[in-house]
Amino acid sequence: MAEVKYVFVTGGVTSSLGKGIISASLAKLLQARGYSVTIQKLDPYINVDPGTLNPYEHGECYVTLDGAETDLDLGHYERFLNVPTSQANNVTTGRIYQSVINKERKGDYLGKTVQVIPHITDEIKRRIKLVGSGNKFDIVLTEIGGTVGDIESLPYIESVRQLKWELGAQNCLVIHLTLVPYLSSTGESKTKPTQHSVKELLETGIQPDILVLRTDRHLNADIKRKVALFCNVEETAVIESVDVSTIYEVPVKMHEQGLDRTVLRKLNLSTETEPKLAEWKEFLSKLKNPKHTVKIGIVGKYVELPDAYKSIAESFVHSGAMNECEIEIEYIHSEDINENNLSDQLSGLNGVLVAPGFGARGIEGKVLTAKYARENNLPYFGICLGMQCAVVEFARNVLGLEGAHSTEIDHKTRYPVIDLMEEQKSIIDKGGTMRLGGYKCNISKESKAFEAYCKTEIVERHRHRYEFNDKYLEDFKSHGMIPVGINPDSNLVEIIELKGHRWFIGVQFHPEYSSTVVNPHPLFLSFVKACIG
Ligand code: GLN
């Protein structure tokens, strides 16, 4: 069995250059050439995972099938590669220190002073190699979060340096992503920040093998040659990444410049088979040549930061392309919705999705949205809290249970139609303690959900503490809100539908986490179809 090859992606100059997209794109190209690839993200913050972070801080929290709360870049990895990731694919400084400190308490380092080097760096290297263990992958791509030069990233960069030395140049390479800004006053693209960033990396002992330059315009050969010369990399290893209209175009652009070929050549792997990108390109062509347009509202309370709803937005890109439909997303702040402006806010939409969330802020706007959609036969897709809001609305306005609520918001409500799950009642810790990851759900055949999935047994990912209170089940059923999806082991309600409505579905799980380019999620596909009408 050949040795596993390691590719590291670091970033310089500024954050948010899209290391995740470059990593996912390269992985896609290598996968399309027949290599088995996985991607890992190392995050330099001290939180054990991003589960306890406010979405305003870090965007969406992405949940894997095995129930890990992870960085949103893992969502890109899955959407590009169509292969599930797991807990091992996202490691934070918090998690590294937690293991080292646990070992220290157990006495594993007895007699030794525990230090960043070698103990923390050894743990980082162990985690990197762990994803590559078991001969599952030919190539492991590891994205280092943050920017070179950050104090927090230092142990990671040092671990990469050590691994490069241990594994040798043919088994390990570093791609450094930087920014080449354009100065309109002089009409020039400037390479100095890139030169400085590479110097910074050199100071830590790492010579990057490949440079990817983010830029808003094409860079001429002279600029690339200059970067190659000053940064000590081959000319063919200087790749430009010009802004594109969709992230899904990046693999094609990287391939055009031979990024995958250069990586394989440097790793001494065969470049004989060209990547099979026909399916990918067909998706791009559908995405760019839509036959219909629909406008869908996403109602949520984090709409100022669209990254908070990343997976939902991407699910619409996948399902839109498959339906040959351009989806215009209108983000609507749930705090801005009230009785008086409800119809103004929602009347121009072909469908509405009420987003997941936590806590009381903006909740009444979400409940009103469910009411409007129910009464006006407007396609409604409620995800997690979005389902719970539809249940609360139905209880209040159809079942006549005045003041019905979720006990998350009103713990004294007379009608707790959404209530804390039994197993959650004794839990005190906030981190990693929700009902997380894949759980089974059985779908009844008489439902729109079944029409979408075309099967009765599914597994979907979860991230919640509250549930539909089945004390009220019969009342809901007899009035037309039907639980069409049930967990076979716990009996929890997973999907509700409104009888007689064009398309009104609420799901307790998160379908958005499992939509990919190749496999758009069936519920999103069906919802978009309903919005097209
Ligand atoms: N806050 C709700 C719960 O914990 C919904 C969670 C969500 O939307 N992800 O059950």
Side-chain angles (χ1 to χ4, degrees):
M1 188 71 200
E3 270 182 282
V4 183
K5 309 277 185 175
Y6 292 88
V7 176
F8 294 94
V9 180
T10 58
V13 182
T14 79
S15 56
S16 308
L17 287 181
K19 285 196 295 285
I21 303 296
I22 294 293
S23 305
S25 299
L26 172 59
K28 177 77 227 168
L29 293 172
L30 299 173
Q31 184 195 51
R33 283 179 182 263
Y35 291 101
S36 62
V37 193
T38 190
I39 322 181
Q40 178 188 42
K41 172 95 190 266
L42 304 182
D43 274 311
Y45 50 74
I46 296 172
N47 303 64
V48 170
D49 63 43
T52 50
L53 288 176
N54 183 327
Y56 286 129
E57 289 273 322
H58 205 63
E60 162 190 284
C61 172
Y62 184 77
V63 179
T64 58
L65 205 52
D66 67 345
E69 296 180 285
T70 70
D71 185 79
L72 59 74
D73 273 335
L74 270 77
H76 291 309
Y77 308 161
E78 288 203 16
R79 290 187 280 271
F80 276 62
L81 297 182
N82 197 40
V83 176
T85 54
S86 71
Q87 177 68 74
N89 294 77
N90 192 196
V91 177
T92 67
T93 296
R95 203 170 277 279
I96 299 279
Y97 271 78
Q98 198 176 45
S99 340
V100 171
I101 291 170
N102 287 345
K103 279 192 204 161
E104 188 275 333
R105 290 290 81 186
K106 260 174 58 200
D108 288 2
Y109 308 112
L110 225 47
K112 291 266 181 300
T113 307
V114 182
Q115 294 179 297
V116 173
I117 302 171
H119 302 101
I120 294 297
T121 47
D122 279 354
E123 179 62 17
I124 293 174
K125 288 193 289 181
R126 190 183 71 80
R127 298 274 184 162
I128 292 169
K129 287 182 181 161
L130 194 66
V131 250
S133 64
N135 290 334
K136 283 194 304 254
F137 303 106
D138 303 313
I139 305 165
V140 174
L141 257 99
T142 300
E143 178 193 344
I144 315 280
T147 308
V148 166
D150 294 348
I151 292 176
E152 305 184 315
S153 316
L154 278 173
Y156 293 97
I157 302 289
E158 167 61 13
S159 305
V160 173
R161 186 196 66 75
Q162 292 182 16
L163 275 176
K164 243 193 143 191
W165 180 82
E166 285 168 25
L167 299 169
Q170 290 197 337
N171 295 317
C172 180
L173 62 83
V174 174
I175 300 176
H176 189 53
L177 178 66
T178 70
L179 175 73
V180 174
Y182 178 77
L183 281 194
S184 51
S185 54
T186 55
E188 284 173 308
S189 293
K190 305 306 276 183
T191 65
K192 192 69 88 190
T194 295
Q195 295 176 43
H196 278 294
S197 177
V198 171
K199 279 221 173 75
E200 188 113 42
L201 205 50
L202 280 168
E203 272 173 30
T204 64
I206 295 177
Q207 164 68 53
D209 301 281
I210 296 174
L211 294 175
V212 177
L213 312 177
R214 275 300 304 274
T215 160
D216 66 353
R217 65 204 63 215
H218 177 60
L219 302 174
N220 64 38
D222 286 344
I223 295 182
K224 288 192 205 158
R225 199 169 309 120
K226 184 173 163 189
V227 171
L229 175 68
F230 289 148
C231 299
N232 216 13
V233 297
E234 288 171 23
E235 271 179 55
T236 49
V238 179
I239 311 276
E240 67 178 21
S241 171
V242 183
D243 297 349
V244 277
S245 59
T246 157
I247 53 171
Y248 298 109
E249 218 173 356
V250 179
V252 178
K253 295 284 169 207
M254 291 299 104
H255 178 60
E256 279 168 10
Q257 295 178 76
L259 175 63
D260 46 332
R261 179 171 289 273
T262 304
V263 166
L264 291 171
R265 182 170 49 77
K266 284 181 182 289
L267 292 174
N268 213 14
L269 291 171
S270 163
T271 54
E272 245 160 60
T273 38
E274 279 296 302
K276 292 191 178 72
L277 290 171
E279 203 178 358
W280 193 267
K281 285 184 176 165
E282 193 191 319
F283 158 78
L284 278 177
S285 139
K286 280 190 177 163
L287 184 63
K288 289 183 172 177
N289 301 292
K291 297 196 175 117
H292 327 266
T293 307
V294 295
K295 195 167 175 186
I296 293 176
I298 295 183
V299 176
K301 66 171 175 178
Y302 303 112
V303 294
E304 302 90 331
L305 184 79
D307 261 5
Y309 302 114
K310 195 77 207 164
S311 292
I312 292 176
E314 296 306 324
S315 300
F316 277 127
V317 175
H318 313 149
S319 53
M322 189 73 111
N323 277 304
E324 299 187 82
C325 177
E326 180 183 349
I327 296 175
E328 224 179 275
I329 292 182
E330 189 174 319
Y331 289 96
I332 304 170
H333 207 304
S334 53
E335 282 183 295
D336 293 343
I337 297 177
N338 56 50
E339 296 266 9
N340 303 328
N341 68 12
L342 186 58
S343 146
D344 288 346
Q345 293 262 25
L346 305 178
S347 61
L349 302 173
N350 301 101
V352 66
L353 182 148
V354 173
F358 297 83
R361 184 166 70 91
I363 197 88
E364 290 307 323
K366 292 184 172 182
V367 174
L368 282 170
T369 302
K371 178 170 189 275
Y372 180 91
R374 179 177 58 78
E375 290 177 345
N376 294 281
N377 211 17
L378 177 71
Y380 178 92
F381 196 0
I383 298 184
C384 210
L385 184 62
M387 169 199 128
Q388 298 175 353
C389 288
V391 168
V392 166
E393 187 282 315
F394 196 81
R396 289 181 189 172
N397 301 317
V398 179
L399 308 185
L401 306 177
E402 207 186 316
H405 222 318
S406 160
T407 50
E408 177 182 8
I409 320 295
D410 176 4
H411 66 275
K412 288 204 191 108
T413 174
R414 278 180 67 195
Y415 306 108
V417 288
I418 303 290
D419 200 6
L420 195 59
M421 279 180 274
E422 203 45 49
E423 68 260 33
Q424 287 285 333
K425 291 189 175 151
S426 56
I427 292 175
I428 299 163
D429 282 358
K430 287 277 182 275
T433 55
M434 280 187 250
R435 181 175 183 240
L436 289 166
Y439 285 93
K440 282 189 261 176
C441 166
N442 289 354
I443 303 178
S444 66
K445 284 200 167 157
E446 306 293 303
S447 67
K448 289 216 165 56
F450 177 75
E451 281 171 34
Y453 283 99
C454 300
K455 54 181 175 187
T456 53
E457 286 175 25
I458 57 164
V459 173
E460 291 281 4
R461 304 181 201 188
H462 296 71
R463 184 174 189 247
H464 66 121
R465 292 185 206 279
Y466 292 80
E467 59 158 320
F468 184 104
N469 184 347
D470 56 13
K471 212 175 100 191
Y472 296 91
L473 209 65
E474 286 312 315
D475 207 5
F476 275 85
K477 258 194 203 165
S478 61
H479 286 82
M481 184 171 267
I482 318 289
V484 299
I486 302 283
N487 177 297
D489 304 315
S490 59
N491 264 337
L492 291 184
V493 173
E494 301 281 14
I495 312 176
I496 55 102
E497 281 187 22
L498 211 51
K499 219 166 149 178
H501 191 283
R502 256 171 81 198
W503 205 99
F504 193 108
I505 297 184
V507 290
Q508 188 57 78
F509 50 79
H510 291 263
E512 73 275 22
Y513 294 143
S514 41
S515 183
T516 71
V517 166
V518 181
N519 270 325
H521 194 282
L523 285 178
F524 275 89
L525 281 174
S526 163
F527 176 57
V528 169
K529 237 179 232 143
C531 296
I532 297 170

